[in-house]
Amino acid sequence: MVKKILAHCCIILGGMFLTFSIINYFNDAMNFINNEISLTLLFIWSVLSMVTGGLYVADMYRADRDAASGRNAERRQTRSGADRYRR
């Protein structure tokens, strides 16, 4: 659940900065990029991206470790594709 929330926050903040960059390119007087709010949002986005990436790497490491030890073999065989995301 936490990984999903962090991933969505990263997508939202990334879209915001893409929009800010485009608007700032066409109208420098708006000053979307060089103000305190944008710098704070950029810091938050950077931290969220690092946490999300760390969780993703940890999940990949755990999956590789489980695959190497043979744990959850029956679960991996029965659940694949979209079935993984169903509860």
Side-chain angles (χ1 to χ4, degrees), residues 25-36:
Y25 176 76
F26 287 108
N27 189 359
D28 286 335
M30 296 290 286
N31 198 21
F32 274 112
I33 302 296
N34 295 326
N35 62 28
E36 192 65 32

Side-chain angles (χ1 to χ4, degrees), residues 57-72 76:
V57 168
D59 193 38
M60 286 186 343
Y61 173 75
R62 185 175 28 249
D64 288 344
R65 185 187 63 205
D66 290 347
S69 67
R71 285 192 280 171
N72 299 326
R76 277 196 308 273

